[in-house]
């Protein structure tokens, strides 16, 4: 079929696991443009101004695109979303792999994306990271979890790799990101997990 040869249509098909049909098509165009370079500018996204506003907001809420402009903390939640010409956005590394693959296959394969983004680590570390990410999923609230809970979940799953090493490397890979507001208000270390990984129902 002709649609099978179109990478944007394959990407839209993958997004249907989470988004409505109209949203899939428009978001696929946005993601496809963002995959062409390390950073994408507002004016490089081939959508109308109204669509850019709506879908950049959606992309930020789902952590598909993160504004480069931000406060000193570097937390995703502290980034400043603007829609003016010249604003720059980046895609977290794991999301880039997830959507690059989806553009080729038409499916979201979260475990494959995680393994690829951590591929420079030993196999045992990668296996434990995958187990941890699957085990923590039922315990997250709005894709967030507290550090002490993550340690308890890792221990309960029998993961021998130091959970701090897993967290540090997952942060570098864009799999998770430190939260500032929850940590500041409650005096606890909270982390946000990339929402798109859990769009794949097999990743559990």
């Amino acid at each position: 079929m002709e649609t099978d040869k179109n990478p944007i249509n394959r990407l839209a098909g993958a997004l249907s696991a989470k988004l409505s049909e109209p949203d899939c098509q428009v978001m696929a165009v946005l993601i496809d443009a963002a995959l062409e370079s390390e950073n994408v500018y507002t004016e490089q996204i081939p959508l109308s101004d109204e669509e850019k506003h709506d879908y950049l907001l959606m992309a930020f809420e789902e952590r598909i695109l993160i504004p480069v402009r931000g406060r000193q903390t570097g937390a995703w939640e502290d980034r400043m979303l603007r829609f003016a010409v010249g604003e720059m956005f980046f895609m977290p590394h794991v999301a880039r792999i997830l959507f690059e693959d989806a553009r080729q296959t038409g499916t979201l394969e979260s475990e494959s994306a995680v393994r690829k983004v951590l591929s420079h680590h030993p196999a045992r570390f990668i296996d434990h990271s995958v187990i941890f990410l699957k085990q923590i999923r039922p315990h997250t609230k709005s894709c967030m979890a507290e550090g002490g809970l993550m340690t308890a979940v890792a221990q309960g799953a029998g993961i021998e790799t130091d959970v701090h090493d897993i967290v540090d490397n997952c942060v570098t890979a864009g799999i998770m990101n430190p939260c500032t507001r929850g940590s500041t208000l409650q005096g606890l270390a909270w982390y946000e997990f990339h929402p798109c990984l859990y769009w794949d129902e097999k990743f559990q």
Side-chain angles (χ1 to χ4, degrees):
M1 296 176 59
E2 183 64 28
T3 52
D4 292 339
K5 299 177 182 178
N6 187 321
I8 293 180
N9 286 343
R10 287 196 294 264
L11 182 53
L15 295 174
S16 66
K18 174 68 176 180
L19 306 179
S20 67
E21 184 175 349
D23 287 343
C24 288
Q25 292 294 329
V26 182
M27 186 62 77
V29 171
L30 183 151
I31 292 173
D32 183 70
L35 289 174
E36 294 306 307
S37 58
E38 183 175 351
N39 297 306
V40 63
Y41 289 91
T42 306
E43 60 270 25
Q44 293 175 319
I45 299 171
L47 300 175
S48 68
D49 289 344
E50 182 178 357
E51 285 177 327
K52 284 183 187 181
H53 185 283
D54 292 344
Y55 286 90
L56 278 172
L57 177 59
M58 183 187 297
F60 178 49
E61 289 174 343
E62 299 294 347
R63 305 314 192 213
I64 296 170
L65 288 181
I66 311 292
V68 171
R69 188 193 301 265
R71 299 186 178 91
Q72 294 300 314
T73 64
W76 292 338
E77 62 185 356
D78 286 342
R79 299 288 172 158
M80 301 170 65
L81 181 60
R82 301 181 182 183
F83 306 100
V85 171
E87 291 299 320
M88 186 187 300
F89 302 85
F90 72 92
M91 188 178 294
H93 194 183
V94 74
R96 178 172 293 275
I97 293 174
L98 181 69
F99 293 125
E100 282 177 341
D101 287 352
R103 191 166 61 170
Q104 297 297 320
T105 66
T107 59
L108 295 175
E109 299 287 347
S110 294
E111 181 168 339
S112 175
V114 169
R115 288 185 178 280
K116 285 182 179 180
V117 81
L118 297 176
S119 61
H120 55 290
H121 290 283
R124 183 171 180 270
F125 180 89
I126 298 172
D127 289 343
H128 286 179
S129 297
V130 168
I131 293 169
F132 167 73
L133 292 169
K134 290 180 177 181
Q135 291 293 317
I136 195 66
R137 179 178 184 174
H139 302 281
T140 60
K141 296 180 179 179
S142 299
C143 290
M144 294 189 293
E146 187 268 324
L149 173 62
M150 294 195 297
T151 298
V153 167
Q155 291 175 345
I159 295 173
E160 297 176 357
T161 300
D162 189 332
V163 70
H164 296 96
D165 289 341
I166 292 176
V167 169
D168 288 347
N169 284 282
C170 283
V171 168
T172 300
I175 295 170
M176 66 176 74
N177 189 260
C179 299
T180 54
R181 282 175 288 185
S183 299
T184 301
L185 292 173
Q186 302 176 32
L188 301 171
W190 283 79
Y191 289 84
E192 177 182 2
F193 293 79
H194 201 288
C196 295
L197 289 177
Y198 297 129
W199 290 5
D200 177 6
E201 294 184 355
K202 303 184 299 297
F203 194 61
Q204 56 186 344

